[in-house]
Amino acid sequence: MKKHLLSLTAAIITLTITAHDTIISGIPWYDDNGDIINAHGACIVEDGGKYWLFGEYKSDTTNAFPGFGCYSSSDLVNWHFERVVLPVQPSGMLGPNSVGERVKVMRCPSTGMYVMLAHTDSLDYRKPMVGLATSPTINGDYTLHGPLMYKGEPIRKWDMGTFQDNDGTGYLLIHHGPVYRLASDYMSADSLVVDIKGMGEAPAMFRRGNTYYILTSGLTSWERNDNWYFTAHSIAGPWTRKGLFCPEGSLTHNSQATFVYPIVHNSDTTYMYMGDRWSFPHQASSATYVWQPISFSSDNSISIPQYIEAWNPYSAQAAEIPGRDLWSGTWTADSTGNKLVIPFHGSGLAIYGTTSNRGGYARISVYDTSGLLLHSQLVDFYSKVSHNGLVYISRDYHPGNYTAVIEPTGEFPVWSNKKGHRFGSTACTVTISRVTVR
Ligand code: GLA
């Protein structure tokens, strides 16, 4: 018992919390308590001078609904975990062994209530509906009311998104095209505004000036694909299919759209693409966030021409990842028992590597000089298209001597869709190319 207490104290005093000012895509993020940020299929709402991030509070073992979580921030980079605002319900559409995904929250201007909509389903994805919940405060307990209704019937569809127009009208976006206008209290859908031909899954809408945009993905389960977009001058259409917004074959920089958040700063707005880099089955640990600034051309076309590892959300400028080279080379291993051991002096590490269709999960652990494990993180080295880049940045520690250990776990992401089609990796390779220390 005494040993445990001592270990805990050592771990607490070793971890420091440093404010950061860049958004870094594709790596596990930690909150102000040093815990993993678990908010997938997310959205951001600004309210009361803060940003609020809502998302699926994923588990590492099952796809069953784990609750929807809420984080707050004053700068879109440093996040504080508020709470699970809608936990697993005792029974019903978000009860045990259900699915709850793509949670979206909007403040309804006519009632002042915070209205949450989400994809609800059975575990086999055969009973899709849109769940409706409300709370009088943004980070309070959301009360689940049941399915969102249209003409007295539940909307029986899966991937969804929401959009709030400048006049406060709320919209529900549905996979494969339907866009519903919500009633003025946001508690039902009151009209089917348009059915956009050629749409896929993961709808995310935003408006810039008088142009509306909707992003969408192909239907490949947790696998990434090349997402595309449409534009229109009215939500009712006509909508024009514009093509891809990321380089073809990059599979949307290895992500799937979930939301676009306009970051307003003085007189500038940066439209931030928010995507999920899923990692089944270890979504809570290893699925990461791909948040990238969207570029606009004079004809209102959009693109994310390059994947920017780190950038400042207010300037939209790319930033350096702090650190100096400690190790570089090629270290590849695909079975347990192999370890890359990296002693370092400093306050943290960044690790770069290659992800590929033979990639698996690595465990990256940081120990202090007494051999005490300070932190351990699962990192996913799978991607259908190969990519070399940043895969991990450690938590911040008091400057000192530490050892990082990287080892394959022998596990890799693999899953099937409801038609039984197999997706994912075929091996558990881990490839490291560079380590920097800060
Ligand atoms: C797609 C959807 C996700 C989730 C998975 C399940 O990626 O966009 O929200 O439903 O399929 O396979």
Side-chain angles (χ1 to χ4, degrees):
M1 183 63 190
K2 196 168 171 202
K3 191 159 175 260
H4 276 112
L5 275 179
L6 278 174
S7 305
L8 191 63
T9 314
I12 288 169
I13 52 176
T14 307
L15 179 69
T16 68
I17 300 299
T18 308
H20 297 273
D21 62 2
T22 56
I23 289 175
I24 304 181
S25 291
I27 58 166
W29 292 351
Y30 303 111
D31 67 12
D32 61 357
N33 202 29
D35 295 325
I36 193 109
I37 295 186
N38 190 357
H40 306 272
C43 73
I44 292 175
V45 187
E46 189 182 358
D47 192 81
K50 276 192 188 177
Y51 303 105
W52 305 86
L53 174 71
F54 291 88
E56 302 160 24
Y57 198 73
K58 288 277 194 210
S59 96
D60 249 21
T61 49
T62 135
N63 204 33
F65 175 60
F68 294 134
C70 174
Y71 293 79
S72 61
S73 171
S74 57
D75 58 13
L76 295 162
V77 176
N78 299 284
W79 292 96
H80 170 73
F81 178 58
E82 295 281 332
R83 55 216 293 267
V84 170
V85 287
L86 185 70
V88 180
Q89 304 291 290
S91 60
M93 66 195 301
L94 286 176
N97 295 317
S98 62
V99 156
E101 295 177 344
R102 297 194 169 272
V103 57
K104 301 289 174 274
V105 171
M106 297 183 290
R107 181 179 179 277
C108 176
S110 73
T111 63
M113 291 294 273
Y114 296 90
V115 178
M116 172 183 279
L117 297 175
H119 166 201
T120 69
D121 221 320
S122 52
L123 258 185
D124 61 1
Y125 288 94
R126 288 179 198 278
K127 290 190 182 149
M129 285 195 276
V130 178
L132 167 70
T134 58
S135 168
T137 55
I138 192 156
N139 56 352
D141 290 324
Y142 281 73
T143 304
L144 180 64
H145 299 286
L148 187 82
M149 309 291 265
Y150 174 60
K151 292 188 171 168
E153 286 290 321
I155 297 174
R156 297 186 192 279
K157 298 284 179 180
W158 61 93
D159 273 21
M160 44 67 68
T162 58
F163 173 70
Q164 189 173 48
D165 209 346
N166 298 349
D167 65 359
T169 308
Y171 293 88
L172 171 71
L173 324 168
I174 290 289
H175 67 92
H176 295 106
V179 176
Y180 292 91
R181 191 181 66 201
L182 298 177
S184 66
D185 63 3
Y186 287 14
M187 298 296 279
S188 60
D190 79 357
S191 64
L192 176 61
V193 182
V194 65
D195 195 349
I196 308 169
K197 297 281 166 283
M199 278 281 297
E201 287 193 321
M205 188 184 285
F206 65 101
R207 176 179 180 170
R208 180 174 178 262
N210 289 323
T211 306
Y212 295 88
Y213 295 80
I214 189 162
L215 315 183
T216 185
S217 81
L219 193 97
T220 54
S221 182
W222 305 114
E223 188 55 272
R224 297 66 120 152
N225 55 63
D226 282 329
N227 294 189
W228 64 99
Y229 76 108
F230 297 77
T231 60
H233 291 298
S234 153
I235 295 180
W239 286 87
T240 306
R241 185 175 176 139
K242 300 280 285 184
L244 308 183
F245 54 91
C246 293
E248 187 170 1
S250 74
L251 310 186
T252 321
H253 298 304
N254 271 318
S255 72
Q256 182 187 28
T258 183
F259 199 68
V260 174
Y261 183 69
I263 308 169
V264 180
H265 182 56
N266 300 327
S267 55
D268 291 334
T269 303
T270 298
Y271 293 81
M272 178 168 76
Y273 163 83
M274 295 167 60
D276 293 290
R277 188 172 290 174
W278 301 112
S279 181
F280 191 87
H282 297 307
Q283 307 269 29
S285 296
S286 306
T288 58
Y289 311 100
V290 175
W291 290 6
Q292 298 281 308
I294 296 176
S295 302
F296 292 82
S297 319
S298 51
D299 68 351
N300 285 333
S301 301
I302 58 167
S303 63
I304 306 172
Q306 280 180 329
Y307 180 68
I308 306 179
E309 253 160 9
W311 58 287
N312 179 282
Y314 296 109
S315 67
Q317 295 299 308
E320 290 287 312
I321 292 161
R324 60 190 160 72
D325 278 348
L326 181 67
W327 183 92
S328 65
T330 305
W331 183 83
T332 297
D334 55 14
S335 53
T336 51
N338 292 295
K339 287 180 187 181
L340 178 62
V341 178
I342 311 252
F344 67 97
H345 179 85
S347 58
L349 282 183
I351 297 177
Y352 298 76
T354 303
T355 59
S356 77
N357 62 6
R358 294 178 55 76
Y361 290 106
R363 181 161 294 286
I364 300 181
S365 310
V366 177
Y367 297 87
D368 73 5
T369 47
S370 72
L372 178 73
L373 175 65
L374 301 179
H375 189 236
S376 161
Q377 174 68 50
L378 267 191
V379 174
D380 184 356
F381 281 75
Y382 167 71
S383 61
K384 190 178 171 192
V385 291
S386 193
H387 178 77
N388 185 265
L390 185 68
V391 292
Y392 168 82
I393 293 186
S394 73
R395 304 196 299 188
D396 294 305
Y397 300 100
H398 285 294
N401 291 314
Y402 301 94
T403 300
V405 177
I406 307 165
E407 50 196 327
T409 63
E411 257 194 295
F412 50 84
V414 60
W415 69 95
S416 305
N417 68 4
K418 61 185 174 193
K419 292 183 177 149
H421 182 87
R422 182 192 184 282
F423 291 89
S425 190
T426 52
C428 40
T429 308
V430 172
T431 302
I432 307 295
S433 54
R434 184 179 169 219
V435 179
T436 64
V437 64
R438 62 181 185 278

